[in-house]
Amino acid sequence: LGSFFRFMGSSLFCVLIDQAAAFILREWLLPGWGIPTGSLWNVNISGWGARLISSVVNYKLNKNLVFRQKGSGRNTALKYALVCVAVICISNLGVWLLGKIGVAGWLAKLVMDTALYFLSYRLQQAWVFREAA
């Protein structure tokens, strides 16, 4: 259970980074560049951009503090990136679909990312940062 609680702390910190970056991109920067709030392009660019920022921080925290993995981490970085891409795609699609039924962007993102949280932990524990036997 120790790794789960460390994962929770790492995740909460990175959620704040992710939510702030997504909000800034979605509500301020992208509309200023002509990409309207609520559009599929806006949701995807803000989702990918925010996740890229928070994922770099999250990978380092999970590798070094949560799962206490030693070494260079080339395989873990690739596996982590694959998990991130899958989670981002599912999250962005869900945010867009929830937006289509009237859910606010920040709430849709929070709902989707919370739902994907447990899947991400399990994949990281069992596959990404699994100790070599």
Side-chain angles (χ1 to χ4, degrees):
L1 280 180
S3 68
F4 182 76
F5 288 113
R6 290 189 304 270
F7 183 81
M8 191 181 314
S10 167
S11 296
L12 288 173
F13 179 69
C14 290
V15 161
L16 295 176
I17 293 170
D18 191 69
Q19 288 287 326
F23 178 81
I24 290 167
L25 286 165
R26 185 178 58 246
E27 302 296 331
W28 294 342
L29 294 177
L30 295 174
W33 296 333
I35 302 170
T37 302
S39 70
L40 184 56
W41 280 108
N42 183 291
V43 169
N44 271 303
I45 293 169
S46 64
W48 282 94
R51 192 56 57 93
L52 178 63
I53 294 165
S54 67
S55 290
V56 171
V57 175
N58 190 252
Y59 171 76
K60 290 293 190 181
L61 289 173
N62 287 352
K63 181 180 182 293
N64 297 316
L65 298 175
V66 175
F67 298 106
R68 297 178 177 159
Q69 191 92 82
K70 304 294 183 223
S72 69
R74 282 193 186 149
N75 285 338
T76 59
L78 178 60
K79 289 176 182 178
Y80 181 87
L82 291 172
V83 170
C84 280
V85 167
V87 168
I88 292 167
C89 289
I90 295 166
S91 178
N92 287 351
L93 178 61
V95 168
W96 182 69
L97 290 171
L98 288 171
K100 288 295 179 196
I101 62 169
V103 178
W106 69 269
L107 181 58
K109 182 160 176 47
L110 190 61
V111 166
M112 288 307 302
D113 290 352
T114 299
L116 293 167
Y117 172 80
F118 294 100
L119 175 64
S120 179
Y121 171 75
R122 189 65 188 121
L123 286 171
Q124 288 183 54
Q125 180 188 47
W127 184 56
V128 175
F129 298 109
R130 185 185 74 211
E131 288 293 325

